Amino acid sequence: MPLSYFTPVAAVGMLAAVFFAGAVAASFINCMQIRLQKGEGVWGRSHCPGCGHTLSPLELIPVFSWLALRGKCRHCGERISARYFLTEVIFGAMYAGILLRFGLGWAALEYTVLFTVLAAECLWDMATFEVPDVLHLLAAANFLLFLGTHPAPLVRLRDGFFTSLGFGAAILVTVLIADRLLHKETMGGADIKFIAVIGLYLNWAQMLLMLIVGCLVGIGVSLGYRAGWKKAFPFIPSLSVAVYFCVLAADPIIQWYLGLLEPALH
Ligand SMILES: [Zn+2]
């Protein structure tokens, strides 16, 4: 149901609610990523890494707490990384964008879960240059879980399977050849798995657009941050931005492009 069906107040209320839900999800996933990387337990109260003070619920409100504390621990003054604030705002905006595009319904829920998993992959890739396989599996499971909410589930399953297999295999072969020619690893295994999983969700035209946009974003990011990522380059964030862009906006662009080709075909 598009948001235009609702009164403006209700629509803004829903957008604010999903923004906050996104910020809460970001806060949780950030915390999990950091704890698992440090080898700490997943459960337990959050604490300041500087003085060990256990954070009160008021200090744990996504977005607002970081702003209210001006990015510093209330007790020892240790700086709290802007990573928390930025991730929470990005997740919130990402959730709101999905609701704006799809309105209230199963599609919005399916893509919200997908992009939560992809955003988790981005956090892991940026921190460790690796992505746990369980995240790829979650993204694939989400596709299967929501199949029944689509008008023709078996057609979607067949198309998804072949797009995934086709793009996964094509990228794998290209990377193997490039690795041999250049004598170095050109693309990580996680990137190839990522592309195969996204093939479940996008059709071949959207996949091509996604790869073009992903490479353009990746080139832009690598130019800006070359100093920080010397030994490896996390490509999944660039690809995820491209997937988000394609899920929300690919169809009008592809139609416009095919429209340009139309006179040439006749
Ligand atoms: Zn502290």
Side-chain angles (χ1 to χ4, degrees):
M1 196 184 290
L3 286 192
S4 53
Y5 281 35
F6 298 91
T7 62
V9 175
V12 170
M14 277 188 274
L15 286 170
V18 295
F19 181 92
F20 190 70
V24 171
S27 175
F28 175 75
I29 294 169
N30 244 332
C31 185
M32 289 295 105
Q33 197 279 317
I34 291 165
R35 284 183 183 191
L36 288 171
Q37 193 184 348
K38 283 185 183 166
E40 291 176 12
V42 168
W43 305 112
R45 298 281 301 273
S46 296
H47 52 82
C48 164
C51 65
H53 149 78
T54 303
L55 299 178
S56 69
L58 272 178
E59 289 165 290
L60 286 169
I61 305 169
V63 181
F64 298 102
S65 293
W66 192 88
L67 285 177
L69 297 168
R70 293 196 191 86
K72 288 192 182 114
C73 170
R74 195 157 58 89
H75 294 263
C76 67
E78 169 113 348
R79 287 190 64 82
I80 306 166
S81 166
R83 166 185 169 164
Y84 296 97
F85 174 74
L86 288 175
T87 321
E88 286 157 11
V89 171
I90 291 171
F91 266 63
M94 177 176 92
Y95 276 31
I98 293 169
L99 183 65
L100 271 176
R101 167 68 177 79
F102 292 102
L104 212 56
W106 289 116
L109 191 59
E110 178 176 5
Y111 283 113
T112 299
V113 177
L114 172 67
F115 283 108
T116 305
V117 176
L118 297 191
E121 293 194 13
C122 294
L123 289 177
W124 255 272
D125 198 23
M126 286 193 282
T128 66
F129 304 107
E130 277 169 27
V131 174
D133 279 334
V134 65
L135 292 175
H136 299 299
L137 290 173
L138 275 175
N142 183 57
F143 170 79
L144 296 174
L145 197 66
F146 281 91
L147 266 182
T149 65
H150 290 269
L154 288 178
V155 175
R156 183 171 166 85
L157 179 63
R158 182 199 65 197
D159 291 352
F161 176 76
F162 284 113
T163 312
S164 168
L165 197 69
F167 275 86
I171 295 285
L172 181 64
V173 170
T174 311
V175 168
L176 288 177
I177 294 172
D179 284 3
R180 284 214 119 180
L181 291 177
L182 299 170
H183 302 291
K184 63 171 188 173
E185 190 178 289
T186 50
M187 199 187 239
D191 303 332
I192 301 168
K193 290 176 196 165
F194 177 97
I195 290 167
V197 170
I198 295 307
L200 294 171
Y201 291 90
L202 303 183
N203 62 37
W204 67 268
Q206 294 169 330
M207 284 297 280
L208 288 177
L209 183 64
M210 185 276 286
L211 289 172
I212 295 168
V213 174
C215 288
L216 290 176
V217 175
I219 290 167
V221 173
S222 68
L223 290 177
Y225 288 91
R226 184 170 286 178
W229 281 316
K230 272 198 179 120
K231 55 180 176 135
F233 175 72
F235 193 31
I236 284 184
S238 304
L239 288 174
S240 299
V241 167
V243 175
Y244 189 77
F245 171 76
C246 285
V247 164
L248 266 66
D251 288 342
I253 294 172
I254 291 167
Q255 270 159 19
W256 166 80
Y257 182 69
L258 292 179
L260 288 184
L261 294 182
E262 192 97 316
L265 294 174
H266 287 288

